[in-house]
C-alpha cells in the first residue's frame, strides 16, 4: 500500500514507518481484511501484466478480461472500503454499510458477467 | 408575513403530496402523448414507411433479426453489399437499435400481437422519444426540482431539434441514442450525488447499451471524465466521486468492448484515453487521501502532493509517448475534423461531402430551439449560482455541446437535451419567483430582510424541497450586494420601480398581484408560442419522407411523386436477382432495401477506394468507364436526374464530389478543373467543357433529354440552363428504364459485341455510318 513512497530518501523512510504504525493502530480489522483482498487483487493484476509484457499478449481479449477483472474488482472493493469506512460516514449519508455491500455484490456480478463473456 | 394572494391553509401535507404526485403522473402521461403524437405527421400524411437512406439498412438488418434470430444476425455476412467484397455486417454495425426492435418484436408476438416488423421500426423513434422525455425529467429533477423536470420533459418532448431525427419512420440510431444518453447522464449524476456503486453500475450498463446503439457514445466517454477532471481541479474530490467514476469506468469499459464494432478501441485509441487517464488519476488521488488520513505532518503532506502531481504528469506523458510510438491510435478523421474544421475538406472529401457535416447557421439554432435558445444562457448562469457537482456537469455539457453544434449541423442533436434542461431550470426559476405568494416585508427593517431573502429575495432555490446547502448558498448570494443573474436584475428593477422611495437594497422581491400576473401571462404566452412554433416546424420542415416527394397542385390537392419506388420496383421485378447495380453511394442502402439487388457501394463508406472507383467510372468517358464496369460485373447503372422536375438533390449536383473523391485516388486521370469552363464555371449547356460532356454521368443524365421538348429549346430546371438541341449519345450503355418524371434513370451495361468489335464501332456500323479506313484491318483479324 505504500507504492509512491518507496523512492523517497531516508528522511521519509521514517515517515513511511510512522504511516505504517498509524495504519496498524487506527484501522479496524474489517478494513484490514478488505485491504488484504485489495493487496491480493493488486498482486494478481501485476502478475498478469508482467506476463503480458514478458511472454505474450496473444489472446488479447483474454488478457483484457483477466486484467480488467482484477482492476474492476479492485476499484469496486476500494469503493466498498471507502463506503464502509467510518471516517467517511459524513460523505455517504444515503449509503449504509449493508447497502454498500449489496452494491458491491451487484457490481461484481455485473463485472464478472462481462468478464466471462469477454474471455472468449 | 403578508401574501399576495391567499392559499388554502386547511389542507394536510399528505393531501398536497398526493395531489402533486398525481398531477406529475398525469403531466408525464400527457407529455408522452404529445411527444408521440407530434412525430406522426409523416405517417398520417403519407404512409407508414422508412425515410431517408441509413434507416433502410437498419430496417433490412432488423428484418434479418426478426426472421432468422439473433445468432444469424450476429454472424451475418452480406455478400450483396460492396459487391465484389461483401460486408461483415455483425462486426461493422452498432447492433443496439436492431436488437431493441427485435426484442420488442418478440415480446409483442409472445403476447399474441402479431405486429409487422416494419411498423415496429417506423414507430420505434416516437416511442423512445417518450422515454427521452421521462429521462430528461429525471435528470432535471436531480438538478433542481420536479417542476423544472416537468418543464424540461415538455421541452424535449416537442422541440424540433430532437424531432428532426426522431419522426416516425426515421429508424436511425439517434432514435434510441438520445434516451440512452440522458439516462446514462442521469445515472452518473445520481451515482455522484449519493456515492453509490449501484448507480455507477447502472450508468455503466446504460453506457454499454449506448455503445451498442450509437457511435456518438464517444461523447459520453469524454464528458464524464471531463466532469470528473473539472471536479478534481476545483478541489471537489470526494470519495463519492471515486466510487461513482471507478464503478462506471471499470464496468463500462469492459462492457463496451463486447460490441464487436468497438472491439479493443477503448484501450487502443486516443478518443478513449481521457477516460483512462482520469481513472488513473483518481486512483492516485484516492490513495493519497487515504494516506493523508493516517498522517498529519505538514511536510509529509507537501511531499505527498508533489508525488501525486508527479505521478499524474508521468501518466500523461506515458499516454502521449504511447500515442507517438503508435501503440495508441491517433484520432480518427471524423473526430479530428471537429477540432480542425478545415481538415475534412482538405484530406477526406467523403466526410466533407455529407451535408450534415457542415457548420450550423444561426437561423437553424432558432428554428430548432426557438425560445429555448434564449433561455439556455440564463439557465447556464443559474447553474453557476448554485454550482453543486451536477451543475458543473451541466455547465461543461453546455459548453462542449454548443461548440460541437456550431461545428456540425448533425451535432445539434446532442445540444438539444442540455438546452432543454437549462432552459427549464431558468424558466421554472422565473415561475417560482412570480408564483410564490410571499410578499417582502416593508414595515420591518434590516433585521428581517436577511431571513426573507431565501424565500422571496432570490430567484434561485426558492422551492421548499431544495436541500439545505443550497439555501445557505442562496443566503450568501442574497447577502452579496450586486445581483448577478439576469433574473435578479429584473427583480431588483421591479423592486426599485415599486419602492423607489425606500433606500436601495432593503426589501427585495415582488410586490402585488398585478406584477406577478403581468409577468406570468407573458411567460405563458412564450410557452404557447413555443408549442405553436414546434408544431409548425415539425409539420412543415421535418415530416417529409425523402422516398416520396410531395408537391401541391394549383387547386391545393397533393401530388405525390413516387419515382424512386417506381424505379426500385422495376429493378426488383424485371432484373435477375444477381444483377449488380452501380450507383453513387447515397442510394446504396435504398437499392439494397427496396430493389433487393447487389450494389457496388453504399452509405456505409468504409472503403474509400471502392467509392472512388465508382466516382471514376461516373466521371470518365465511356471508353474508360466501360472496362471498369465490366470488371466489376456491373449490369445496371442507376442515376438520379432532377433536370425535368427541378429536384435539386440529383447526381449532377453531386457530381463534383464524385470527381473530387476520384481525384483523391487517381490524381493523374481525373482532374477537377477539367470539368469547369475556361472561366471556372460549372455548366452543363453548350459551354460545358468537353470532359464534362464526355463524362458518363453527363451522358446518362441528358440522354434523350432534348427529345422531350419536341424541337424546342431543352431547359434543365435545376441548373436553369438551356441544353444543346442535340443530346449526347451512348455507345456502351442501353437505356433500360426511366421513371415517370425522369428522376431515376437506369441503364443497362451492354455485353461485349458478339463479333468482337469495339462497341463504338459496332454502334456506328449498326447506324449505317461509314467505317473509317484506318481501323478495319485489325478488327477483322480478331473476328476470324
Amino acid at each position: 500500500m505504500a507504492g509512491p513512497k518507496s523512492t523517497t530518501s531516508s528522511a521519509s523512510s521514517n515517515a513511511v514507518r510512522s504511516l505504517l504504525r498509524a495504519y496498524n493502530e487506527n484501522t479496524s480489522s474489517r478494513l484490514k481484511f478488505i485491504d488484504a483482498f485489495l493487496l491480493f487483487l493488486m498482486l494478481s493484476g501485476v502478475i498478469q501484466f508482467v506476463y503480458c509484457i514478458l511472454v505474450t499478449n496473444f489472446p488479447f481479449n483474454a488478457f483484457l478480461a483477466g486484467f480488467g477483472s482484477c482492476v474492476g474488482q479492485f476499484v469496486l472493493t476500494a469503493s466498498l472500503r471507502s463506503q464502509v469506512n467510518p471516517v467517511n460516514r459524513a460523505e455517504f449519508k444515503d449509503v449504509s454499510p449493508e447497502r454498500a455491500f449489496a452494491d458491491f455484490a451487484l457490481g461484481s456480478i455485473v463485472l464478472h458477467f462481462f468478464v466471462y463473456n469477454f474471455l472468449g | 408575513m403578508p401574501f399576495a394572494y391567499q392559499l388554502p391553509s386547511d389542507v394536510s401535507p399528505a393531501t398536497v403530496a398526493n395531489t402533486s404526485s398525481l398531477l406529475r403522473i398525469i403531466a408525464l402521461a400527457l407529455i408522452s402523448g404529445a411527444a408521440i403524437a407530434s412525430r406522426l405527421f409523416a405517417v398520417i400524411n403519407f404512409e407508414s414507411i422508412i425515410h431517408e437512406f441509413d434507416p433502410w439498412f437498419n430496417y433490412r438488418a432488423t428484418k434479418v433479426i426478426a426472421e432468422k434470430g439473433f445468432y444469424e444476425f450476429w454472424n451475418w455476412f452480406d455478400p450483396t453489399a460492396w459487391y465484389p467484397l461483401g460486408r461483415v455486417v455483425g462486426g461493422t454495425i452498432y447492433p443496439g437499435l436492431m436488437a431493441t426492435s427485435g426484442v420488442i418484436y418478440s415480446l409483442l408476438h409472445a403476447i399474441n400481437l402479431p405486429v409487422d416488423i416494419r411498423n415496429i421500426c417506423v414507430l420505434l423513434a416516437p416511442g423512445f422519444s417518450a422515454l427521452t422525455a421521462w429521462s430528461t425529467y429525471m435528470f432535471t429533477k436531480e438538478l433542481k426540482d420536479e417542476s423544472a423536470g416537468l418543464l424540461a420533459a415538455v421541452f424535449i418532448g416537442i422541440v424540433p431539434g430532437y424531432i428532426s431525427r426522431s419522426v416516425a419512420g426515421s429508424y436511425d440510431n439517434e432514435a434510441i441514442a438520445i434516451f440512452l444518453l440522458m439516462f446514462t447522464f442521469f445515472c452518473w449524476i445520481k451515482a455522484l450525488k449519493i456515492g453509490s456503486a449501484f448507480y455507477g453500475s447502472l450508468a455503466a450498463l446504460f453506457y454499454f447499451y449506448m455503445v451498442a446503439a450509437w457511435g456518438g457514445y464517444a461523447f459520453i466517454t469524454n464528458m464524464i471524465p471531463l466532469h470528473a477532471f473539472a471536479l478534481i481541479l476545483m478541489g471537489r474530490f470526494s470519495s463519492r466521486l471515486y466510487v461513482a467514476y471507478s464503478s462506471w469506468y471499470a464496468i463500462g469499459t469492459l462492457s463496451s468492448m463486447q460490441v464487436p464494432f468497438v472491439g479493443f478501441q477503448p484501450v487502443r485509441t486516443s478518443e478513449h484515453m481521457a477516460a483512462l487517464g482520469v481513472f488513473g488519476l483518481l486512483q492516485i488521488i484516492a490513495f493519497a487521501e487515504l494516506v493523508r488520513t493516517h498522517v498529519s505532518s505538514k511536510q509529509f503532506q507537501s511531499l505527498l502532493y508533489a508525488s501525486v502531481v508527479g505521478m499524474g504528469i508521468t501518466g500523461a506523458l506515458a499516454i502521449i509517448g504511447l500515442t507517438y510510438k503508435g501503440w495508441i491510435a491517433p484520432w480518427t478523421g471524423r473526430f479530428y475534423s471537429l477540432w480542425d474544421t478545415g481538415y475534412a475538406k482538405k484530406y477526406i472529401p467523403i466526410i466533407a461531402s455529407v451535408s450534415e457535416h457542415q457548420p450550423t447557421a444561426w437561423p437553424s439554432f432558432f428554428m430548432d430551439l426557438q425560445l429555448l435558445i434564449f433561455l439556455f444562457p440564463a439557465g447556464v448562469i443559474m447553474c453557476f449560482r448554485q454550482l453543486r457537482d451536477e451543475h458543473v456537469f451541466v455547465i461543461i455539457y453546455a459548453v462542449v455541446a454548443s461548440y460541437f453544434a456550431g461545428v456540425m449541423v448533425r451535432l445539434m442533436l446532442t445540444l438539444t437535451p442540455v438546452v432543454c434542461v437549462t432552459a427549464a431550470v431558468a424558466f421554472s426559476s422565473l415561475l417560482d419567483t412570480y408564483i410564490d405568494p410571499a410578499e417582502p416585508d416593508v414595515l420591518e427593517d434590516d433585521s428581517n430582510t436577511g431571513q426573507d431573502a431565501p424565500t422571496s429575495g432570490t430567484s434561485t432555490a426558492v422551492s421548499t424541497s431544495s436541500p439545505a446547502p443550497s439555501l445557505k448558498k442562496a443566503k450568501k448570494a442574497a447577502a452579496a450586494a450586486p445581483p448577478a443573474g439576469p433574473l435578479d436584475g429584473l427583480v431588483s428593477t421591479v423592486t426599485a420601480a415599486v419602492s423607489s422611495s425606500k433606500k436601495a437594497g432593503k426589501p427585495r422581491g415582488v410586490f402585488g398581484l398585478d406584477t406577478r400576473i403581468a409577468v406570468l401571462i407573458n411567460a405563458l404566452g412564450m410557452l404557447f408560442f413555443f408549442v405553436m412554433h414546434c408544431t409548425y416546424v415539425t409539420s412543415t420542415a421535418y415530416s417529409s419522407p425523402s422516398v416520396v416527394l410531395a408537391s401541391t397542385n394549383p387547386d391545393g390537392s397533393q401530388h405525390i411523386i413516387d419515382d424512386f419506388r417506381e424505379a426500385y420496383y422495376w429493378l426488383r421485378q424485371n432484373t435477375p436477382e444477381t444483377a449488380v447495380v452501380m450507383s453513387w453511394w447515397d442510394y446504396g442502402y435504398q437499392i439494397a432495401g427496396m430493389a433487393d439487388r447487389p450494389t457496388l457501394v453504399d452509405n456505409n463508406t468504409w472503403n474509400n477506394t471502392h467509392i472512388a472507383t465508382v466516382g471514376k467510372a461516373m466521371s470518365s468517358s465511356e471508353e474508360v468507364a466501360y472496362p471498369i464496369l465490366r470488371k466489376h460485373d456491373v449490369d445496371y447503372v442507376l442515376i438520379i436526374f432532377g433536370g425535368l422536375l427541378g429536384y435539386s438533390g440529383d447526381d449532377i449536383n453531386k457530381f463534383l464530389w464524385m470527381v473530387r473523391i476520384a481525384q483523391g485516388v487517381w490524381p493523374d486521370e481525373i482532374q477537377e478543373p477539367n470539368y469547369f469552363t475556361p472561366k471556372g464555371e460549372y455548366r452543363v449547356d453548350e459551354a460545358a467543357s468537353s470532359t464534362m460532356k464526355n463524362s458518363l454521368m453527363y451522358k446518362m443524365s441528358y440522354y434523350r433529354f432534348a427529345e422531350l421538348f419536341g424541337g424546342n429549346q431543352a431547359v434543365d430546371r435545376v441548373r436553369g440552363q438551356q441544353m444543346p438541341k442535340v443530346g449526347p449519345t451512348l455507345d456502351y450503355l442501353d437505356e433500360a428504364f426511366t421513371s415517370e418524371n425522369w428522376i431515376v434513370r437506369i441503364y443497362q451495361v451492354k455485353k461485349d459485341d458478339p463479333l468482337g468489335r469495339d462497341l463504338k464501332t459496332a454502334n456506328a456500323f449498326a447506324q449505317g455510318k461509314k467505317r473509317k479506313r484506318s481501323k478495319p484491318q485489325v478488327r477483322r483479324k480478331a473476328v476470324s
Side-chain angles (χ1 to χ4, degrees):
Chain A
M1 291 298 291
K5 299 281 81 63
S6 54
T7 52
T8 46
S9 58
S10 61
S12 59
S13 77
N14 193 18
V16 170
R17 215 172 299 131
S18 74
L19 169 68
L20 282 179
R21 202 178 50 243
Y23 170 79
N24 269 328
E25 283 165 7
N26 298 339
T27 315
S28 68
S29 61
R30 208 179 260 197
L31 289 185
K32 276 183 185 158
F33 179 59
I34 293 181
D35 285 338
F37 184 45
L38 285 175
L39 194 67
F40 162 72
L41 284 171
M42 192 188 262
L43 288 178
S44 153
V46 165
I47 289 169
Q48 290 183 40
F49 194 75
V50 167
Y51 180 87
C52 168
I53 297 273
L54 292 184
V55 186
T56 173
N57 69 354
F58 161 57
F60 192 50
N61 56 340
F63 163 70
L64 279 181
F67 190 67
S69 93
C70 279
V71 173
Q73 194 62 63
F74 180 87
V75 294
L76 284 174
T77 317
S79 301
L80 175 70
R81 188 193 192 280
S82 68
Q83 280 169 327
V84 299
N85 197 345
V87 179
N88 294 336
R89 202 60 259 150
E91 250 183 63
F92 297 99
K93 282 188 221 72
D94 299 328
V95 186
S96 65
E98 292 79 13
R99 166 85 191 270
F101 186 75
D103 285 359
F104 166 75
L106 182 98
S108 307
I109 290 170
V110 172
L111 177 77
H112 281 94
F113 169 76
F114 284 120
V115 165
Y116 282 120
N117 196 29
F118 200 52
L119 273 175
Chain B
M1 187 185 290
F3 284 102
Y5 53 91
Q6 282 309 309
L7 289 175
S9 53
D10 52 348
V11 193
S12 74
T15 318
V16 173
N18 287 343
T19 317
S20 63
S21 80
L22 175 70
L23 285 177
R24 270 202 300 278
I25 290 171
I26 293 175
L28 277 174
L30 289 177
I31 289 167
S32 307
I36 293 172
S38 64
R39 283 165 169 80
L40 299 182
F41 282 108
V43 167
I44 292 166
N45 283 344
F46 301 96
E47 59 192 293
S48 167
I49 180 193
I50 307 285
H51 299 180
E52 298 291 336
F53 301 112
D54 282 4
W56 275 101
F57 172 75
N58 299 336
Y59 172 51
R60 192 160 151 254
T62 313
K63 271 202 294 196
V64 172
I65 281 200
E67 282 159 13
K68 297 184 183 157
F70 193 74
Y71 285 101
E72 279 294 313
F73 167 73
W74 201 247
N75 299 318
W76 181 25
F77 177 79
D78 182 8
T80 64
W82 296 87
Y83 164 63
L85 309 170
R87 175 182 178 189
V88 187
V89 178
T92 54
I93 52 157
Y94 294 101
L97 183 72
M98 299 92 186
T100 308
S101 7
V103 166
I104 294 174
Y105 179 79
S106 325
L107 274 183
L108 288 180
H109 278 247
I111 57 170
N112 292 323
L113 279 174
V115 183
D116 184 19
I117 187 73
R118 175 176 54 88
N119 283 319
I120 292 174
C121 293
V122 166
L123 295 175
L124 188 78
F128 265 86
S129 71
L131 287 177
T132 309
W134 172 70
S135 59
T136 312
Y137 163 76
M138 300 293 275
F139 182 83
T140 318
K141 203 174 73 160
E142 293 303 316
L143 213 62
K144 191 165 175 284
D145 50 8
E146 282 95 342
S147 39
L150 281 180
L151 266 176
V154 178
F155 287 158
I156 199 142
I158 58 173
V159 70
Y162 175 42
I163 287 190
S164 64
R165 309 306 302 259
S166 67
V167 288
S170 156
Y171 181 57
D172 215 340
N173 292 331
E174 289 92 331
I176 63 171
I178 296 302
F179 161 65
L180 296 171
L181 183 83
M182 284 321 277
F183 204 78
T184 311
F185 283 159
F186 160 70
C187 290
W188 160 248
I189 289 298
K190 192 85 182 168
L192 181 63
K193 235 179 171 178
I194 61 178
S196 138
F198 169 70
Y199 276 103
S201 315
L202 205 60
L205 280 179
F206 274 90
Y207 172 70
F208 165 62
Y209 192 2
M210 173 77 178
V211 174
W214 194 36
Y217 76 90
F219 183 63
I220 300 184
T221 323
N222 289 302
M223 265 307 296
I224 293 181
L226 196 59
H227 180 214
F229 190 60
L231 289 180
I232 294 171
L233 289 187
M234 291 167 80
R236 292 186 177 206
F237 172 82
S238 62
S239 303
R240 282 178 286 115
L241 177 64
Y242 176 83
V243 171
Y245 189 87
S246 300
S247 54
W248 168 74
Y249 182 78
I251 299 177
T253 307
L254 203 60
S255 62
S256 70
M257 287 191 286
Q258 321 275 323
V259 179
F261 194 24
V262 176
F264 298 137
Q265 278 181 33
V267 290
R268 281 278 171 83
T269 59
S270 292
E271 282 93 339
H272 301 78
M273 281 306 125
L276 182 63
V278 171
F279 181 69
L281 189 66
L282 270 176
Q283 306 304 320
I284 297 168
I285 293 177
F287 181 67
E289 290 284 322
L290 179 70
V291 171
R292 207 161 64 102
T293 56
H294 290 292
V295 232
S296 54
S297 150
K298 196 132 198 211
Q299 188 192 6
F300 191 74
Q301 272 183 34
S302 61
L303 197 70
L304 203 62
Y305 274 119
S307 66
V308 165
V309 171
M311 283 182 78
I313 291 173
T314 321
L317 285 180
I319 286 180
I320 294 172
L322 283 176
T323 312
Y324 269 106
K325 272 190 81 184
W327 273 78
I328 299 172
W331 281 330
T332 56
R334 260 162 224 275
F335 199 69
Y336 189 73
S337 61
L338 289 174
W339 306 112
D340 184 356
T341 46
Y343 180 80
K345 205 154 214 168
K346 241 184 274 170
Y347 301 105
I348 329 171
I350 203 155
I351 293 181
S353 76
V354 180
S355 65
E356 285 174 333
H357 293 175
Q358 307 303 321
T360 318
W362 284 111
S364 73
F365 278 103
F366 182 74
M367 178 164 145
D368 278 358
L369 301 166
Q370 219 242 355
L371 84 105
L372 305 185
I373 200 68
F374 305 121
L375 292 173
F376 172 47
V380 174
I381 287 172
M382 302 211 145
C383 290
F384 267 111
R385 303 210 40 199
Q386 296 196 34
L387 215 61
R388 296 197 301 273
D389 288 350
E390 57 266 30
H391 295 106
V392 177
F393 180 78
V394 169
I395 290 165
I396 295 172
Y397 183 6
V399 171
V400 172
S402 309
Y403 171 75
F404 285 147
V407 173
M408 213 184 252
V409 176
R410 185 186 192 176
L411 294 176
M412 195 74 163
L413 188 68
T414 50
L415 175 68
T416 307
V418 73
V419 168
C420 292
V421 168
T422 51
V425 168
F427 207 92
S428 91
S429 304
L430 180 87
L431 293 182
D432 281 348
T433 314
Y434 282 90
I435 289 179
D436 182 21
E439 290 259 338
D441 256 328
V442 199
L443 302 173
E444 308 275 331
D445 304 59
D446 333 28
S447 60
N448 223 349
T449 45
Q451 289 164 10
D452 274 1
T455 50
S456 63
T458 53
S459 48
T460 52
V462 256
S463 91
T464 45
S465 64
S466 58
S470 76
L471 272 181
K472 240 181 256 162
K473 272 200 192 116
K475 221 180 242 175
K476 231 182 268 166
L487 265 179
D488 253 5
L490 193 69
V491 169
S492 65
T493 34
V494 169
T495 321
V498 173
S499 59
S500 51
S501 61
K502 297 260 180 284
K503 268 191 285 172
K506 252 219 205 134
R508 298 167 69 200
V510 191
F511 288 89
L513 204 56
D514 47 352
T515 44
R516 284 166 217 271
I517 288 177
V519 172
L520 286 179
I521 284 181
N522 193 10
L524 291 180
M526 276 157 69
L527 286 183
F528 181 71
F529 278 112
F530 176 68
V531 174
M532 302 294 283
H533 174 88
C534 290
T535 317
Y536 171 74
V537 168
T538 308
S539 64
T540 53
Y542 291 137
S543 296
S544 45
S546 59
V547 176
V548 291
L549 310 170
S551 66
T552 327
N553 291 332
D555 61 347
S557 63
Q558 200 176 42
H559 179 66
I560 300 253
I561 296 158
D562 205 0
D563 281 34
F564 286 103
R565 282 193 292 182
E566 187 192 342
Y568 292 142
Y569 277 91
W570 181 87
L571 269 180
R572 195 185 188 107
Q573 310 270 336
N574 298 297
T575 59
E577 232 169 82
T578 51
V580 178
V581 181
M582 182 180 95
S583 73
W584 191 234
W585 61 264
D586 294 15
Y587 315 105
Y589 280 161
Q590 286 194 344
I591 293 172
M594 288 194 254
D596 194 23
R597 292 289 172 268
T599 54
L600 232 54
V601 292
D602 65 29
N603 305 44
N604 169 289
T605 52
W606 63 275
N607 188 333
N608 191 36
T609 318
H610 211 47
I611 292 178
T613 308
V614 173
K616 186 185 172 191
M618 295 284 199
S619 53
S620 33
S621 65
E622 273 187 283
E623 292 82 16
V624 181
Y626 186 68
I628 301 177
L629 300 182
R630 295 291 297 174
K631 275 180 199 162
H632 288 88
D633 295 346
V634 175
D635 297 305
Y636 292 92
V637 182
L638 179 147
I639 58 153
I640 307 294
F641 172 66
L644 184 65
L645 210 68
Y647 173 66
S648 61
D650 69 352
D651 276 346
I652 293 284
N653 277 359
K654 290 172 187 166
F655 188 44
L656 280 181
W657 286 109
M658 303 183 201
V659 173
R660 277 173 206 150
I661 291 168
Q663 187 183 4
V665 179
W666 293 280
D668 306 333
E669 299 172 53
I670 310 282
Q671 276 111 22
E672 194 183 341
N674 292 345
Y675 295 84
F676 295 118
T677 59
K679 279 184 189 166
E681 293 168 306
Y682 180 61
R683 300 184 71 104
V684 291
D685 55 4
E686 293 276 15
S689 70
S690 66
T691 321
M692 180 75 191
K693 278 184 174 170
N694 283 325
S695 69
L696 192 65
M697 177 56 76
Y698 181 91
K699 284 187 168 182
M700 285 193 294
S701 292
Y702 294 107
Y703 184 63
R704 298 203 305 121
F705 183 59
E707 296 169 23
L708 204 60
F709 291 80
N712 293 331
Q713 185 75 49
V715 177
D716 181 324
R717 291 236 177 96
V718 175
R719 265 67 55 177
Q721 293 171 12
Q722 307 208 318
M723 304 305 301
K725 280 254 171 64
V726 182
T729 55
L730 283 167
D731 288 321
Y732 294 85
L733 301 170
D734 271 332
E735 186 180 3
F737 179 81
T738 294
S739 64
E740 186 188 350
N741 298 297
W742 285 52
I743 286 186
V744 186
R745 310 196 67 180
I746 300 171
Y747 291 86
Q748 185 166 23
V749 180
K750 278 188 192 167
K751 298 282 172 258
D752 282 327
D753 187 53
L755 299 178
R757 290 171 298 181
D758 188 358
L759 277 173
K760 196 168 189 172
T761 334
N763 250 10
F765 181 76
Q767 284 166 2
K769 284 183 192 155
K770 232 182 161 185
R771 283 200 309 250
K772 281 185 189 146
R773 281 194 125 183
S774 55
K775 282 191 181 174
Q777 307 312 79
V778 190
R779 295 290 163 201
R780 242 185 226 153
K781 248 180 220 164
V783 175
S784 59

